[in-house]
């Protein structure tokens, strides 16, 4: 049988989440609610929490995360927020890179892959 594909918040260029079987792929999440990386990281993680909750998935089910920072020198500040959020004993595989983000006000973007 062919596994169904579910899409959440389908837009012209992307969906916020795509579910295929037990796999969940979230689009990169950004936040412009704050002007520093600490506030933006919290805003992004809140968005990830909300998307996963809508799909009925706990953050312990996150398999991998990719974090894009507009300035790698903010790594420690981002990590301080991340460490408070990530479940102890259920940390995902993770990559962090410096990248030019789509808008200059975005300081951090995070995308995750999870499973049901």
């Amino acid at each position: 049988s062919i596994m169904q594909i579910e899409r959440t918040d389908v837009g012209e260029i992307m969906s916020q989440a795509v579910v295929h079987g037990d796999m969940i792929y979230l689009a990169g999440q950004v936040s412009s609610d704050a002007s520093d990386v600490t506030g933006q990281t919290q805003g992004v993680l809140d968005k990830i929490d909300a998307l996963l909750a809508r799909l009925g998935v706990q953050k312990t089910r996150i398999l991998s995360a990719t974090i894009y920072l507009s300035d790698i020198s903010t790594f420690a500040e981002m990590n301080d927020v991340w460490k408070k959020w990530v479940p102890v004993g259920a940390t995902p595989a993770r990559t962090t890179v410096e990248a030019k983000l789509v808008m200059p006000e975005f300081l951090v973007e995070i995308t995750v892959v999870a499973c049901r």
Side-chain angles (χ1 to χ4, degrees), residues 4-6 8 24 28-29 33 36 45 51 60 69 90 100-102:
Q4 293 296 315
I5 297 172
E6 300 169 51
T8 302
I24 299 164
Q29 300 298 307
D33 292 346
D36 66 351
L45 296 175
L51 271 169
T60 56
L69 294 172
K100 187 174 283 196
L101 301 181
V102 70

Side-chain angles (χ1 to χ4, degrees), residues 1-112:
S1 71
I2 298 173
M3 278 193 269
Q4 293 296 315
I5 297 172
E6 300 169 51
R7 299 175 199 278
T8 302
D9 300 335
V10 178
E12 186 178 9
I13 62 166
M14 67 184 210
S15 297
Q16 287 301 311
V18 176
V19 180
H20 181 245
D22 289 333
M23 298 301 297
I24 299 164
Y25 304 88
L26 297 191
Q29 300 298 307
V30 293
S31 173
S32 56
D33 292 346
S35 59
D36 66 351
V37 76
T38 298
Q40 284 194 19
T41 300
Q42 189 60 59
V44 167
L45 296 175
D46 291 346
K47 286 172 122 180
I48 290 170
D49 282 338
L51 271 169
L52 291 177
R54 283 173 58 194
L55 296 167
V57 176
Q58 300 288 323
K59 65 185 168 187
T60 56
R61 305 296 293 170
I62 296 173
L63 302 174
S64 69
T66 304
I67 301 172
Y68 304 93
L69 294 172
S70 64
D71 181 351
I72 201 70
S73 73
T74 62
F75 181 78
E77 294 92 328
M78 175 279 298
N79 238 5
D80 286 343
V81 179
W82 175 268
K83 286 188 276 189
K84 291 179 185 124
W85 175 82
V86 75
V88 174
T91 51
R94 195 184 95 169
T95 301
T96 305
V97 296
E98 182 179 73
K100 187 174 283 196
L101 301 181
V102 70
M103 297 177 78
E105 60 266 30
F106 294 147
L107 305 177
V108 60
E109 181 168 351
I110 302 174
T111 186
V112 303

